[in-house]
Every structure is written in C-alpha cells, then in structure tokens.
Amino acid sequence: MKRRDVIKFLSAAPLAGGMIGTGLTAQTVSAGETEAAIAGRDLFKELGLKTFINASCVCTSLTASLMPPEVTQAIVKGADEFVLLNDVLDKVGEKIAELCHAEAATVTAGCWSALVQGLAGVMTGMDRKKVMQLPNVDGMKSEVILQKTHANGYHQALTNTGAKLVIVETLEEAEAAINEKTAMLWFLNRELSAGKLNYEQWLSLGKKHKVPTMIDIASDAHPVENLWKFNDMGFDLVAISGGKAMRGPQSAGILMGKKDLIAAARLSAPPNSGICRGHKVNKEEILAMYVALERHIKMDHEKEWKTWEDAMGVIVNTVNNIKGISQQVFIPEIANHTPTLHLSWDNNKIKMTGRQLKERLWNGNPGIEVMGGGTMGTKRDGIELSVWQLKPGQEKIVARRLKEELLKASV
Ligand SMILES: *Cc1c(COP(=O)(O)O)cnc(C)c1O
C-alpha cells in the first residue's frame, strides 16, 4: 500500500464510520444486551426441545449430569480471555495430577478420548513421526490385551489408534498373549467382578512384562477415593469422564498417570496434529473440568449421600402402601455408586409392564426418565431409578407421578 492510498483510506474512514461506528456501538452495548436477550429467551422452548427430570443415570444420551454453578461460572470466565492452549493444559494438568496423586494429567474430550489419547501416547512415545503415522501402526507395538468381559463397547475406543485387540479370559491366556507387539494391558473397572483377573493380577502382569497398564473408571467418581486409588495402586494410565458423576462439562474428561506417557499422549492432541486433533477441548471446558474436579474432591460427600438417601426415602415411602409392589434399594459397587431403587410388582395386582410405566413417566408432565428393570445388566421386571441427578424437590414430583401411575394400573 502506497502512502497516498493509506491517506485515502484514512480520509475515507469517516465515511465508512457510519458502518464501523454502528458495529462498535453494538459490540460495546452487547455485554448487557446479550445477557438480557438470553435471559428473555427460552432456548428449549424455542427449539422445541423436551426437557425432563433425570431419575435415570449419567448416560451420555441423557446429557449425563447438570453442571453446578461453580462449573458454569468457570466456563463464562474462561471465555473472556485468550490463553495459550498448551499453557492451560499444562497448568490445569499439574493441578489435577496433584489432586489425584498422579505424576501428570491432561484434560481430554471425555473418557473415550482419554482412552484413545493414552494408547496413542503409549504407541508413539515422543516420536513425532510416529504421531503423524497413526493409525498406521507399522514399526510400533500395537496390540492391546483385555479380558473378554471387559470388551463391552467402550474398548472400541482403543482401535481408533489402529491397535489390535487381543481378548483373553484367564491368567494363562493373558501370559501367553504377551509378545513383542504388546503395547498395553487395558482394564475396565465396571467389569471388575465379571472378569477372572483382579487389579493385582493385571498390574503384576504389566510389571513382569514391562507393559503399561490402563484402567477406565469413566463414571466411578464415587467414592471420591477412586480418583487417586488407581494411581496409587500403580496403573500407568487412568481415564475418567468429566461430565458423568463429577458433573463437569459433558465433553471433557481426564487422562492421568505416568509423566512420560501423558507427555507422549499430548502429542496426538490439540494444538498438535495427530489422531486426536479432532478431540479438541476448549479452554473454558479445561478450566471447568479443573473446577469440577476440585469441587468434587472438596465437597462433603457424607452430606450429599444423606440427601440422596432422603430423596430416595421420599419416593419409597410415597408408594410403599400400594398393594402388590416390592421395592429394593441397592448400591452398585462400581460405576454409578449411588442408591438405586428397583421397583417391581405383582402383575395380578397391577396391570402394567415395566416398559409401560417407563413410557408413561416419560410422556407425563413433567417428563421423567427412569431405567428399565433390566438396565444395569440385570434381567428383571419393573423399573429402576436413581435420585443423584434430581434437582432439590424433584423427588416429590417423581414420587407423586409414580404413585399416580401405579394406582391407575391397580385392579
Ligand atoms: C461413558 C463411558 C465412557 C465414555 O466416556 P465419555 O466421557 O462419554 O467419553 C467410557 N467408558 C465407560 C465405562 C463409560 O461408562
């Protein structure tokens, strides 16, 4: 641009000023205006989105959990400044590692992403050529060993790296499966009791053959000790969801463990290219993940447990006198470790299937989502429900609606 052109542009600026000026004014005012505009809008209504009471689970399809105010505030504040993506990952990673007794940690795009990133790190190490080569595994250790009962869907994440899964049942089979191509031994916590091998056996297998071990504890943030238990135990990598029991952003998660493995895993994720380039977590959610974890660790879990018990008490007591029903409150040992009600009934006294009750609750006003009687891997009639994702007071609505539907179907 010649100097004259610059001057010409400058002199033209006031003319364009009408436009530019308006833009600036709009932007300056926008902070307040946007807030007002959002406050006046009901996006759920506007878009025709059904909202509901979640008496079910922290399942992905139900949008898992609701973020507490601290967490949403972290998102809002995080959106207000630029930072370097690596910087926020470094700093938050350090804090998470400290809180969870790990050498290092990073925020991932959920637990699934943590599984992919973690394995990618194991396979590539700090070799950037290998990072760019995946999912072509030539020249890399590329077999992951897991137990048959642990292969229930989430293990597919591991194949994103190009790795091959080797499924075993017994200790002998696992020993025999280990060879020079073995990259990792993977464990799914929720299937602990279904598998033949326990933590100690899995860990000593890894130690003996110098193969890294990884455990998936996606929705196992209760009891809270789980957040450091597996690091203390010696798993080289631990993967957990941020948006399930911990109530962080649904699209965030944590990968923690050995320093060299976390550093290697990060090479495949943003801001780097590599197979996890599409697993971007924005700075807002990285910060919110940290706040959610901190909150979860600091909170009074006994008090929270008591509120769950009280809420469950309201429901159980409201329907208890209805003829023909039976109620059993159980606590899944691992995964969704929270009071859960199994409600069933005598079909001669109440003419309704579990599936029908589930549908009627969903279609009522307000809609309520519960689990079918057989959801937690059980083959049972009736329904199951939990109270940990209810907002205060919603237990009364759930209790009232249950009673209404059970009485309506009573003969
Ligand atoms: C939900 C879940 C995942 C995936 O976690 P996201 O945070 O949704 O990516 C992985 N493993 C298990 C056992 C899960 O329950």
Side-chain angles (χ1 to χ4, degrees):
M1 210 187 258
K2 280 190 284 196
R3 189 180 142 77
R4 254 219 333 256
D5 294 339
V6 174
I7 292 169
K8 221 167 36 191
F9 174 75
L10 281 178
S11 65
L15 274 179
M19 264 155 61
I20 293 170
T22 315
L24 281 178
T25 314
Q27 212 171 27
T28 322
V29 176
S30 75
E33 263 184 1
T34 314
E35 238 166 68
I38 283 288
R41 285 173 73 178
D42 183 337
L43 294 173
F44 297 104
K45 260 210 181 111
E46 213 176 292
L47 297 168
L49 287 165
K50 180 186 177 89
T51 59
F52 56 91
I53 293 175
N54 182 5
S56 176
C57 58
V58 289
C59 308
T60 295
S61 60
L62 304 179
T63 58
S65 63
L66 299 180
M67 290 182 280
E70 295 100 295
V71 179
T72 48
Q73 278 161 25
I75 289 180
V76 172
K77 289 202 170 155
D80 211 33
E81 294 288 351
F82 286 102
V83 289
L84 295 175
L85 187 54
N86 269 331
D87 244 10
V88 64
L89 281 170
D90 283 347
K91 294 290 194 305
V92 165
E94 273 168 34
K95 290 285 187 192
I96 293 175
E98 208 176 291
L99 286 167
C100 299
H101 311 185
E103 284 179 18
T106 189
V107 176
T108 60
C111 183
W112 182 285
S113 163
L115 302 181
V116 186
Q117 266 194 58
L119 177 56
V122 167
M123 291 167 73
T124 65
M126 295 303 283
D127 186 336
R128 286 181 184 267
K129 243 193 178 149
K130 287 182 176 165
V131 169
M132 296 314 291
Q133 184 192 309
L134 286 183
N136 172 345
V137 301
D138 289 351
M140 289 181 232
K141 290 179 191 269
S142 58
E143 292 182 2
V144 179
I145 299 174
L146 63 147
Q147 297 182 71
K148 191 176 173 191
T149 49
H150 294 210
N152 71 359
Y154 295 107
H155 65 305
Q156 290 298 343
L158 303 164
T159 63
N160 283 201
T161 57
K164 188 180 136 211
L165 303 178
V166 180
I167 309 234
V168 299
E169 280 192 82
T170 62
L171 189 57
E172 293 69 40
E173 280 176 29
E175 284 269 8
I178 296 181
N179 62 51
E180 73 284 352
K181 294 219 106 183
T182 307
M184 196 175 80
L185 298 173
W186 187 74
F187 201 95
L188 177 56
N189 196 39
R190 64 180 284 176
E191 301 302 337
L192 168 68
S193 59
K196 289 197 165 68
L197 305 181
N198 61 26
Y199 303 133
E200 289 72 25
Q201 289 168 306
W202 206 246
L203 287 167
S204 53
L205 204 58
K207 221 175 231 149
K208 181 173 162 196
H209 296 277
K210 298 202 166 50
V211 177
T213 47
M214 182 199 267
I215 188 165
D216 171 337
I217 60 165
S219 59
D220 311 344
H222 298 90
V224 66
E225 296 79 40
N226 277 354
L227 288 167
W228 45 88
K229 179 173 154 184
F230 301 99
N231 290 315
D232 290 346
M233 218 183 253
F235 277 93
D236 296 294
L237 289 169
V238 178
I240 187 165
S241 292
K244 289 180 176 173
M246 246 192 292
R247 297 180 61 188
Q250 195 191 4
S251 40
I254 293 170
L255 175 70
M256 50 191 170
K258 294 288 180 306
K259 207 174 186 138
D260 56 333
L261 294 181
I262 299 294
R266 280 185 54 187
L267 294 183
S268 285
N272 302 301
S273 296
I275 53 163
C276 295
R277 179 60 179 80
H279 302 205
K280 192 192 288 166
V281 190
N282 59 47
K283 63 182 181 301
E284 295 81 0
E285 291 195 338
I286 295 170
L287 293 169
M289 184 68 257
Y290 166 49
V291 170
L293 174 75
E294 201 184 33
R295 172 190 172 274
H296 186 72
I297 289 174
K298 283 188 185 154
M299 76 183 295
D300 185 340
H301 286 276
E302 269 177 45
K303 196 169 143 198
E304 185 186 51
W305 194 275
K306 178 83 177 37
T307 65
W308 293 346
E309 280 183 345
D310 289 349
M312 191 56 93
V314 168
I315 294 169
V316 168
N317 291 329
T318 303
V319 296
N320 212 24
N321 290 332
I322 298 174
K323 283 209 181 69
I325 70 155
S326 75
Q327 305 192 82
Q328 183 211 351
V329 177
F330 64 100
I331 298 155
E333 192 59 41
I334 305 177
N336 307 300
H337 182 72
T338 184
T340 308
L341 172 67
H342 177 229
L343 171 70
S344 59
W345 50 89
D346 178 344
N347 279 95
N348 294 318
K349 300 210 167 80
I350 297 172
K351 294 281 180 204
M352 175 168 62
T353 64
R355 181 181 283 255
Q356 282 171 329
L357 177 56
K358 183 169 151 52
E359 277 170 14
R360 288 168 197 179
L361 292 169
W362 174 256
N363 291 323
N365 186 20
I368 298 169
E369 175 69 347
V370 297
M371 295 171 273
T375 38
M376 301 297 247
T378 59
K379 294 230 164 26
R380 303 204 278 195
D381 296 335
I383 61 158
E384 279 166 20
L385 66 85
S386 70
V387 295
W388 63 337
Q389 300 307 318
L390 299 182
K391 295 184 198 174
Q394 287 184 334
E395 68 279 5
K396 294 195 190 104
I397 304 174
V398 174
R400 174 175 57 77
R401 286 287 301 124
L402 266 181
K403 188 176 175 180
E404 274 171 16
E405 293 300 337
L406 288 166
L407 286 178
K408 242 193 267 175
S410 294
V411 290

